[in-house]
């Protein structure tokens, strides 16, 4: 089967979000193309892996010629960036994309932006958050301004999801960061250096329902995250 699009969804201790994610997957409108969704279990120590296996079994009972569901199990957590990049290398689609696995970003947004970039090679697609997010929004703006100043390229909404690009261009991203959340900035920056067309769609980030933020779990982790990104 020719796979048009790979969607990487990183998961670390997201056991309660697996079935809601699967519900979103079943509702995707992909009649005109084939996609694979790769659930990356990034060293989870809760029941994330077990629940992924359950939905894989459920998915295989109902043949869907347009959606392939795959899993990539990493024995040890290799941080947010590392897990996503492993998923990108694992993907078989003509276009590679990623989005969050915490239900704050609908998987449907990936399908929306794919329709804008499909057929283009020198392109980088991304979301642009239109809703204000209080303190999180302030941190994002700080990251955005700082990265633009240091790297010398104007960038906005660096960590908004989803992200998408043509798989042929993966070879350009030779030395990606593999800790914390700098991968989004890196891909955006390298795309600008290579004069890719940047395509954005408006997205809304929802509030997390289950689980907890991995970078705001404690003051120590939060400060470490800020220092690392700087």
């Amino acid at each position: 089967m020719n796979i048009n699009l790979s969607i990487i969804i990183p998961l670390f201790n997201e056991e309660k979000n697996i079935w809601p994610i699967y519900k979103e997957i079943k509702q995707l409108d992909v009649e005109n193309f084939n996609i694979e969704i790769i659930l990356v279990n990034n060293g989870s120590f809760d029941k994330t892996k077990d629940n992924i296996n359950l939905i894989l079994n459920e998915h295989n009972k109902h043949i869907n010629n347009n959606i392939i569901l795959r899993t990539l199990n990493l024995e040890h957590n290799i941080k947010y960036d590392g897990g996503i990049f492993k998923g990108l290398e694992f993907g078989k689609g003509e276009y590679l994309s990623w989005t969050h696995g915490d239900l704050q970003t609908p998987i449907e947004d990936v399908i929306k932006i794919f329709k804008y970039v499909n057929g283009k090679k020198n392109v980088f697609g991304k979301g642009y958050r239109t809703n204000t997010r209080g303190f999180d929004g302030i941190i994002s703006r700080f990251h955005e301004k700082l990265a633009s100043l240091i790297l010398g390229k104007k960038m906005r909404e660096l960590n908004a999801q989803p992200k998408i690009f043509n798989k042929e261009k993966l070879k350009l991203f030779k030395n990606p960061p593999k800790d914390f959340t700098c991968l989004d900035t890196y891909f955006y920056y390298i795309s600008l250096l290579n004069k890719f067309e940047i395509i954005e769609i408006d997205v809304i980030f929802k509030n997390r329902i289950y689980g907890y933020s991995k970078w705001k779990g404690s003051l120590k982790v939060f400060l470490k995250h800020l220092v690392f990104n700087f």
Side-chain angles (χ1 to χ4, degrees):
M1 177 191 293
N2 179 44
I3 299 175
N4 305 109
L5 171 65
S6 298
I7 303 175
I8 285 77
I9 302 178
L11 300 162
F12 175 59
N13 291 345
E14 298 285 3
E15 60 181 6
K16 292 183 178 180
N17 286 327
I18 304 303
W19 284 100
I21 286 172
Y22 185 51
K23 183 179 179 180
E24 286 193 18
I25 291 172
K26 291 191 295 183
Q27 295 173 344
L28 294 176
D29 180 10
V30 293
E31 292 184 3
N32 299 320
F33 47 88
N34 302 316
I35 73 170
E36 66 172 0
I37 296 179
I38 301 171
L39 302 175
V40 180
N41 174 32
N42 195 354
S44 299
F45 49 80
D46 63 356
K47 294 182 180 180
T48 294
K49 182 178 179 179
D50 294 338
N51 287 342
I52 288 175
N53 289 334
L54 287 174
I55 69 167
L56 286 175
N57 291 333
E58 178 70 18
H59 189 73
N60 290 332
K61 292 177 184 177
H62 308 283
I63 298 176
N64 187 324
N65 293 327
N66 297 99
I67 300 178
I68 297 172
L69 198 56
R70 304 171 67 199
T71 184
L72 175 60
N73 280 306
L74 305 175
E75 290 299 319
H76 304 287
N77 182 272
I78 56 174
K79 304 299 173 93
Y80 171 83
D81 292 351
I84 290 176
F85 199 77
K86 283 290 186 183
L88 294 174
E89 293 179 318
F90 191 64
K92 298 179 179 180
E94 181 182 359
Y95 289 85
L96 303 176
S97 66
W98 71 89
T99 189
H100 292 163
D102 55 13
L103 300 179
Q104 291 184 283
T105 56
I107 303 172
E108 181 186 13
D109 286 344
V110 184
I111 306 302
K112 290 179 181 178
I113 198 167
F114 169 69
K115 294 176 181 178
Y116 286 99
V117 305
N118 190 20
K120 300 181 179 183
K121 291 188 176 181
N122 297 322
V123 65
F124 182 67
K126 60 181 290 293
Y128 180 81
R129 290 175 286 206
T130 59
N131 58 317
T132 58
R133 295 170 297 112
F135 183 67
D136 286 0
I138 295 173
I139 295 299
S140 293
R141 291 286 180 259
F142 176 73
H143 184 166
E144 173 185 316
K145 299 300 182 184
L146 195 62
S148 297
L149 177 64
I150 293 174
L151 298 175
K153 294 288 184 181
K154 186 176 180 180
M155 296 178 282
R156 62 178 197 168
E157 278 297 325
L158 300 173
N159 295 321
Q161 305 299 323
K163 301 292 196 308
I164 187 170
F165 64 100
N166 190 287
K167 185 180 180 179
E168 286 187 15
K169 304 303 178 181
L170 183 60
K171 60 188 177 184
L172 296 176
F173 304 94
K174 298 177 181 179
N175 188 29
K178 296 180 180 178
D179 286 323
F180 293 90
T181 55
C182 287
L183 191 74
D184 295 273
T185 305
Y186 171 78
F187 267 82
Y188 194 176
Y189 175 66
I190 297 298
S191 297
L192 289 171
L193 282 184
N194 286 277
K195 302 186 185 305
F196 285 5
E197 178 184 1
I198 307 298
I199 294 179
E200 292 182 328
I201 63 168
D202 290 346
V203 298
I204 294 176
F205 266 38
K206 302 177 182 178
N207 293 324
R208 175 185 275 271
I209 301 175
Y210 303 111
Y212 61 93
S213 171
K214 307 304 183 298
W215 67 276
K216 294 187 296 183
S218 69
L219 179 61
K220 180 180 178 181
V221 172
F222 174 69
L223 293 176
K224 185 177 180 180
H225 171 86
L226 291 184
V227 171
F228 179 86
N229 277 277
F230 177 78

